[in-house]
Amino acid sequence: MSNGLARKRIALFGSTGSIGRQALEVIDANSGAFSVEVLTAHSNDELLVKQALHFKPEIVVIGDDKKYPQVKAALSGHPIKVFAGEKALEEVAAMDVYDMMIAAIVGFAGLRPTLRAIENGKAIALANKETLVVAGDIVMQKALECKAPIIPVDSEHSAIFQCLIGETRNRIEKIILTASGGPFLGKKPNFLVNVKRDHALQHPNWSMGAKITIDSATLMNKGLEMIEAKWLFNLQPDQVHVVIHPQSIIHSMIQFEDGSIKAQMGLPDMKLPIQYALSFPRRLPSNFPRYDFRKPNTLSFEEPDTRTFRNLVLATDALNKGGNLPCVLNAANEIAVFAFLRNRIGFLDMTDLVERTMQEMPFIEHPTLEEYFDSDGEARNFAASLIKL
Ligand code: NAD
Ligand code: MG
């Protein structure tokens, strides 16, 4: 953007991940509009250093403090401050060196830094859906109090967000989140029982980090997204619907009270919702590939098979009951995916583990933030003990 406006200063938390790397591509292609002031990574010090040398942020944080000496040495001679450790993520989120945080850390680990950024009144481009799944009520309330806009990056939620433009006075009848169905669409339990990690890591339409790829194969990702949508758009559970749409061209839809349906469409490419979250309310030109309606194509839709993909049932239960149940579901799921990725449990065992943990953990209807952290820890310990992790 060479319109004389100041560049938006970006803090990219989780810069070495799939979303993080794509966000940097978007920023690189729009360097007149955005500058990178903070980069953080958990353990990939080599990529973090490479990114820092290219984007010249003011601060980098390496989560794993054992990697601090390497990062510090590699960036010596450059005016870049280097911090390490979990606490540093929060401290940097609370600083005033940036305008917008891209929350691209995976899992529960993203919650604390994102909350800090919200308390700091910063805009959030939110990829880390677990933040809203775990503590959506507290996060949204804080965002309201601190006037911190939360712009979704998740493609489904970006679609709903885009469809809502100009509709502030109109009631949503329901939203319809689309799901590709993942690599095992149409498969039954007798097939799934033998599925191994490498097969589950192959998603037909999207290239993503390992955790969300497994969540997409089990449909837990869509379950988490139902809960994310409830908080982002202030919906009742029965307003949140899911339909399988294997082509991933319609990214989600809203149905209004007059029956009219708005959809947002495009080829599946996360760079589009990332760029939109960064540039909102503007749209910036891009050279992303375009969808071509003249080519032979079919857009198809079907009901999800919830008898096979029971994670959707568990997530709907958590959505309906609320309280700390979504937090427990998320914690058990993080343990389940961790164990599956290490070939410690089978594909279907993941759902069983989440279900057992949800049954056993005490229910808290209105948890405090501390109680959410406690619920997360207890649910992780319980789930890990069940599989002797
Ligand atoms: P990823 O695994 O590729 O990257 C995760 C990033 O988080 C890395 O930079 C890593 O260093 C950092 N990280 C991991 N554990 C950490 C910890 N304990 N403390 C600090 N940093 C840590 O994940 P991803 O696919 O980029 O997904 C990131 C988030 O975005 C997830 O919440 C995911 O659900 C969401 N999301 C991803 C996509 C996608 O296409 N990849 C789409 C929609 C939403
Ligand atoms: Mg999504």
Side-chain angles (χ1 to χ4, degrees):
M1 253 190 305
S2 53
N3 55 4
L5 294 178
R7 293 192 299 170
K8 194 181 275 183
R9 299 170 304 161
I10 304 295
L12 176 49
F13 278 61
S15 66
T16 53
S18 161
I19 291 288
R21 282 177 276 123
Q22 294 181 83
L24 288 177
E25 282 182 49
V26 168
I27 292 170
D28 220 10
N30 295 281
S31 54
F34 309 111
S35 69
V36 178
E37 303 302 334
V38 178
L39 291 172
T40 89
H42 189 52
S43 56
N44 190 345
D45 56 312
E46 286 180 18
L47 182 56
L48 179 66
V49 165
K50 224 169 125 189
Q51 293 174 336
L53 291 173
H54 182 83
F55 289 95
K56 303 192 170 38
E58 194 166 326
I59 295 172
V60 302
V61 185
I62 181 84
D64 178 356
D65 17 19
K66 289 191 290 299
K67 301 269 177 89
Y68 174 78
Q70 288 100 297
V71 179
K72 182 76 187 154
L75 296 178
S76 71
H78 297 272
I80 300 174
K81 298 187 192 81
V82 181
F83 300 111
E86 224 176 276
K87 273 269 161 277
L89 288 173
E90 282 184 67
E91 285 159 13
V92 171
M95 290 181 184
D96 249 334
V97 295
Y98 68 101
D99 303 309
M100 175 179 248
M101 168 193 272
I102 305 179
I105 289 178
V106 60
F108 183 85
L111 175 59
R112 282 186 197 267
T114 307
L115 265 177
R116 275 301 184 91
I118 291 172
E119 285 160 359
N120 194 8
K122 302 299 184 189
I124 312 287
L126 186 74
N128 178 245
K129 63 192 82 183
E130 294 90 346
T131 284
L132 286 180
V133 172
V134 169
D137 52 349
I138 290 178
V139 171
M140 293 310 287
Q141 182 58 34
K142 276 226 157 76
L144 199 69
E145 283 165 16
C146 304
K147 299 193 173 49
I150 299 188
I151 323 280
V153 166
D154 212 349
S155 57
E156 296 76 3
H157 306 75
S158 176
I160 301 291
F161 188 82
Q162 293 180 55
C163 291
L164 276 173
I165 307 280
E167 303 284 0
T168 38
R169 290 167 190 216
N170 295 323
R171 214 187 75 84
I172 295 172
E173 193 164 83
K174 65 179 183 183
I175 66 163
I176 302 145
L177 299 175
T178 52
S180 70
F184 306 129
L185 178 60
K187 300 294 189 210
K188 296 291 171 196
N190 61 357
F191 175 90
L192 295 174
V193 72
N194 294 315
V195 158
K196 292 283 178 277
R197 111 189 241 288
D198 290 346
H199 192 180
L201 280 172
Q202 283 156 21
H203 195 276
N205 303 350
W206 301 95
S207 159
M208 311 175 284
K211 195 244 172 192
I212 184 175
T213 305
I214 301 303
D215 284 346
S216 300
T218 63
L219 290 204
M220 182 56 96
N221 183 50
K222 211 49 55 181
L224 300 177
E225 290 183 355
M226 292 170 76
I227 301 168
E228 180 187 12
K230 165 188 155 148
W231 293 119
L232 274 173
F233 306 114
N234 193 19
L235 300 169
Q236 294 302 313
D238 63 0
Q239 290 175 287
V240 184
H241 295 244
V242 169
V243 69
I244 302 290
H245 166 45
Q247 299 81 16
S248 299
I249 298 298
I250 293 186
H251 299 312
S252 280
M253 305 177 253
I254 304 183
Q255 183 170 307
F256 292 96
E257 281 186 304
D258 58 358
S260 178
I261 297 167
K262 274 169 98 172
Q264 187 267 339
M265 306 171 67
L267 288 172
D269 182 344
M270 282 309 294
K271 289 205 282 295
L272 210 156
I274 291 170
Q275 175 168 307
Y276 186 72
L278 294 184
S279 68
F280 171 79
R282 294 189 57 195
R283 289 183 187 274
L284 295 177
S286 86
N287 56 8
F288 308 147
R290 269 48 173 170
Y291 183 67
D292 187 350
F293 282 93
R294 294 163 305 184
K295 292 212 176 115
N297 46 38
T298 316
L299 300 184
S300 61
F301 305 92
E302 58 189 89
E303 277 275 303
D305 173 4
T306 51
R307 286 170 66 106
T308 303
F309 294 93
R310 291 192 308 114
N311 274 347
L312 267 187
V313 180
L314 298 180
T316 304
D317 192 32
L319 174 77
N320 286 329
K321 296 202 179 106
N324 65 338
L325 206 54
C327 171
V328 168
L329 165 114
N330 178 70
N333 182 58
E334 288 195 24
I335 295 294
V337 174
F338 177 90
F340 176 74
L341 283 171
R342 281 154 191 79
N343 298 314
R344 298 287 295 267
I345 61 174
F347 188 85
L348 295 176
D349 299 334
M350 287 191 277
T351 305
D352 293 342
L353 193 63
V354 174
E355 185 172 38
R356 278 282 311 275
T357 310
M358 287 173 72
Q359 284 164 353
E360 295 297 327
M361 288 295 105
F363 181 67
I364 309 173
E365 197 166 355
H366 297 292
T368 62
L369 188 58
E370 280 321 306
E371 285 172 324
Y372 277 126
F373 285 115
D374 292 346
S375 289
D376 174 79
E378 284 161 24
R380 272 168 207 272
N381 287 341
F382 180 79
S385 74
L386 283 181
I387 53 174
K388 305 193 170 46
L389 205 62

